[in-house]
Amino acid sequence: MDGKVIVVTGASGALGKVVAEAALKRGAKVAGLDHAATQLSPTASRIELGGVDLSDAAAAKQAIDAAASHFGKLDALINIAGGFAFEAVAEGDPKTWQRMYALNVLTALNASRSAIPYLAASGSARIVNVGAMGALQAGAGMGAYAASKAGVHRLTEALAAEWKGKITVNAVLPSIINTAANRASMPKADFAKWVTPQELADVILFLISDAASAVTGALLPVSGRV
């Protein structure tokens, strides 16, 4: 992975931090994008661009352009930025559906559309999205979230078909990720059965590696030990 330039969205989150650090350890250069303000100073191998609203197409393009300008190229995009809401359909707020679509679908769409011109010039371009196992069959309270993540799945498949032979596009579908926030919200769960951020990062980084050059359009469940 030496010398590859990778954009990680949602880079300040629990999964984004782990993915960025793991990529750096493998020799990649990383541009981290996040809605939160950045607290990291730029280095030769890493920059952080904070305050970016990726649900806005113009803001996404500006951030991606800045990352490409800083490093001179882009080889991979990892779309981790997103959000979650638990709300019953009948009693829920319609705005929740709009928010889930913006956070999960539009962020991946806008970042991908902005990155594609740069990725198309790479000899081994990759896009990896984060979908959800919960979008394969939605449970109670998961309507808005699952619908938006299902949109990420279809976006992944469409981009893979459109850019076959030039850019591989895949998605990982985690079950429950073992993060502090998830443990706090489900304190009685068996955390040992959940997938860890490092395990998920390993799968994501495999998908952007040269070894995964023949894999595209895949929706890969990452279920931990459930």
Side-chain angles (χ1 to χ4, degrees), residues 19-207:
V19 170
E21 289 294 339
L24 288 165
K25 289 179 180 178
R26 300 185 191 195
K29 297 179 180 180
V30 176
L33 277 54
D34 204 280
H35 192 268
T38 181
Q39 298 180 356
L40 294 176
S41 299
T43 68
S45 59
R46 183 173 190 171
I47 60 168
E48 292 283 336
L49 301 173
V52 180
D53 180 4
L54 291 171
S55 68
D56 178 83
K61 184 178 186 305
Q62 184 178 22
I64 294 291
D65 287 348
S69 176
H70 182 83
F71 288 118
K73 65 171 184 172
L74 294 182
D75 298 302
L77 169 67
I78 302 173
N79 284 310
I80 298 175
F84 175 78
F86 185 87
E87 186 177 272
V89 174
E91 297 84 13
D93 188 339
K95 290 182 180 179
T96 300
W97 290 73
Q98 297 172 338
R99 182 164 60 89
M100 288 296 95
Y101 182 82
L103 290 176
N104 293 320
V105 181
L106 288 184
T107 56
L109 171 65
N110 291 335
S112 297
R113 284 167 56 103
S114 299
I116 280 172
Y118 301 106
L119 295 175
S122 171
S124 57
R126 310 278 189 261
I127 296 175
V128 179
N129 298 321
V130 176
M133 283 187 65
L136 299 178
Q137 183 173 356
M142 299 287 283
Y145 173 75
S148 67
K149 285 298 189 179
V152 173
H153 300 177
R154 304 291 82 81
L155 171 64
T156 300
E157 293 166 338
L159 283 175
E162 291 171 8
W163 289 93
K164 190 172 184 179
K166 294 183 179 179
I167 304 171
T168 69
V169 188
N170 297 288
V172 293
L173 281 54
S175 53
I176 303 173
I177 305 175
N178 191 350
T179 65
N182 285 337
R183 291 194 298 271
S185 66
M186 293 173 274
K188 296 183 180 180
D190 184 354
F191 308 148
K193 292 183 177 181
W194 295 354
V195 62
T196 68
Q198 185 60 59
E199 289 170 330
L200 190 53
D202 288 340
V203 177
I204 291 171
L205 293 184
F206 166 73
L207 289 173

